[in-house]
Amino acid sequence: MEYNKLNGWTIVLLIISIGGIQAHISEDETTTVERSSKKNVYALIMIDVQYCFINGSLALSNGPAGQDGAEVIPVINELIDKVPFDVFAYSLDWHPANHISFFENLESRKDYVLGSDHEKYQMFDAVTYTGPGSETTQILWPAHCIQDTDEAKLHKDLIRLPAGDNVVYINKGRNPNIDSYSAFLDNDKIEKTPLDNELKARNVTHVFVTGLALDYCVGSTAIDASNFGYKTYVIEDACRGVDDIAIEAKLNQLEQNGVELINSHQVEQIINSLNSQQNVIDTCSSNKRYDITDENQDDININSCQ
């Protein structure tokens, strides 16, 4: 199965992706210091490294960009092995067979097609459904990542850590009537997945996003993460995408939303630098809270304490 007509609805992708929840908190100086002094907690988020996007019905290699989704696996595995992340989160596209995103289900949903002219739509077109839930614009993908099928499994070569205190698995796209590119929210920004609550329960402050596909689920996840208040990074060489034009547009959108674009070789250095800065902040806030004057202040970056 080959992708087509992708460039024509790049703008649809951008519209779907915009609109994450913004949190505006006004806080006094004490609150700021106390929040800043919390320990940084780093999460690696791995998006949809599943067979369906690697060698299945939506294999990226069949898309306009011709990228190989399997290439992210050794990069992600090295991050898992070598970088001191505190939390690991895996997401899976996990659709019921009657999912709204499947072209094969267009006929059964024809009564909800805006304009009622469902016969004109082809695979990879964007269609507006007026129900049965809320009105939503949906790209018509071939059936993919159907729950409990082999194609929906994470690739066997990906390091799959056992679920536990610091390892979370999120199944998204389970609602038959709305798609969910983001691992945080559905496409209409109405219903959350458990991911935000799981990360907040573990006090995560910084997230590093990887996986498939950059111009869809990875990008949407990263923007929502930033909007939910996490310092967010996308590791570009640990991602692959569908369409070159959509990839470039998504990268620009990520930067506009405060997401930092980095490469895998930078990650450990970034974490070490942040931890070093955190040590200074902890010392400063501790001194301020208890009115302690450090007799070795020459060793402290005083500007960081202001």
Side-chain angles (χ1 to χ4, degrees):
M1 183 69 67
E2 294 187 357
Y3 297 83
N4 53 53
K5 302 186 179 178
L6 292 167
N7 295 350
W9 44 254
T10 296
I11 187 65
V12 174
L13 166 64
L14 296 179
I15 292 172
I16 289 173
S17 300
I18 293 172
I21 298 173
Q22 299 285 342
H24 301 283
I25 303 172
S26 72
E27 35 185 23
D28 60 22
E29 182 181 1
T30 301
T31 305
T32 301
V33 170
E34 289 179 352
R35 191 178 73 171
S36 297
S37 66
K38 288 183 179 178
K39 179 182 181 293
N40 290 334
V41 178
Y42 306 102
L44 177 65
I45 300 180
M46 295 155 279
I47 301 296
D48 303 356
V49 188
Q50 296 165 266
Y51 285 105
C52 54
F53 301 119
I54 294 173
N55 59 7
S57 57
L58 267 179
L60 268 60
S61 57
N62 293 329
Q67 297 190 359
D68 183 358
E71 292 176 349
V72 307
I73 296 174
V75 183
I76 294 174
N77 285 347
E78 186 169 4
L79 290 166
I80 294 172
D81 278 337
K82 295 185 177 181
V83 178
F85 290 106
D86 302 293
V87 176
F88 301 87
Y90 299 82
S91 81
L92 297 90
D93 241 14
W94 200 249
H95 299 313
N98 63 339
H99 196 254
I100 193 170
S101 69
F102 297 168
F103 173 77
E104 293 84 348
N105 293 330
L106 176 63
E107 177 67 26
S108 64
R109 293 175 176 269
K110 63 183 179 181
D111 292 341
Y112 297 106
V113 174
L114 185 65
S116 301
D117 190 12
H118 76 282
E119 294 179 351
K120 70 178 182 181
Y121 291 104
Q122 301 179 32
M123 195 173 293
F124 304 110
D125 282 346
V127 61
T128 298
Y129 286 112
T130 59
S134 59
E135 182 173 307
T136 187
T137 298
Q138 176 64 54
I139 296 166
L140 297 173
W141 304 104
H144 63 280
C145 294
I146 296 176
Q147 297 170 5
D148 298 314
T149 63
D150 287 342
E151 189 189 63
K153 294 178 180 178
L154 294 174
H155 196 281
K156 65 179 179 61
D157 293 335
L158 178 70
I159 295 175
R160 290 153 291 160
L161 300 170
D165 290 343
N166 69 330
V167 180
V168 177
Y169 285 82
I170 299 294
N171 294 331
K172 61 186 180 67
R174 298 165 61 98
N175 185 335
N177 297 320
I178 184 68
D179 210 351
S180 183
Y181 293 157
S182 169
F184 286 96
L185 289 162
D186 66 46
N187 284 2
D188 288 341
K189 312 299 182 186
I190 296 173
E191 185 175 347
K192 291 174 63 176
T193 75
L195 181 57
D196 181 46
N197 289 340
E198 294 285 359
L199 296 181
K200 284 186 166 56
R202 292 162 174 80
N203 300 311
V204 169
T205 56
H206 297 67
V207 299
F208 295 78
V209 188
T210 66
L212 308 172
L214 177 56
D215 37 344
Y216 289 92
C217 298
V218 170
S220 296
T221 298
I223 290 171
D224 283 343
S226 180
N227 288 336
F228 276 121
Y230 303 98
K231 176 60 182 174
T232 305
Y233 304 83
V234 166
I235 306 174
E236 286 192 73
D237 59 326
C239 303
R240 294 294 184 272
V242 175
D243 176 78
D244 287 326
I245 294 176
I247 290 169
E248 186 63 29
K250 182 60 69 176
L251 291 174
N252 290 333
Q253 188 185 6
L254 287 165
E255 291 185 316
Q256 291 167 9
N257 280 269
V259 177
E260 290 197 32
L261 306 176
I262 61 173
N263 288 316
S264 58
H265 71 270
Q266 299 174 273
V267 176
E268 191 164 12
Q269 180 182 356
I270 289 170
I271 290 177
N272 289 338
S273 176
L274 289 168
N275 286 339
S276 177
Q277 295 172 30
Q278 185 68 58
N279 290 335
V280 172
I281 291 171
D282 286 345
T283 302
C284 296
S285 60
S286 177
N287 289 350
K288 182 170 184 176
R289 186 175 297 114
Y290 300 108
D291 291 325
I292 294 172
T293 301
D294 195 307
E295 59 187 18
N296 297 314
Q297 279 189 353
D298 287 344
D299 296 330
I300 299 175
N301 183 346
I302 301 300
N303 290 331
S304 298
C305 301
Q306 297 176 349

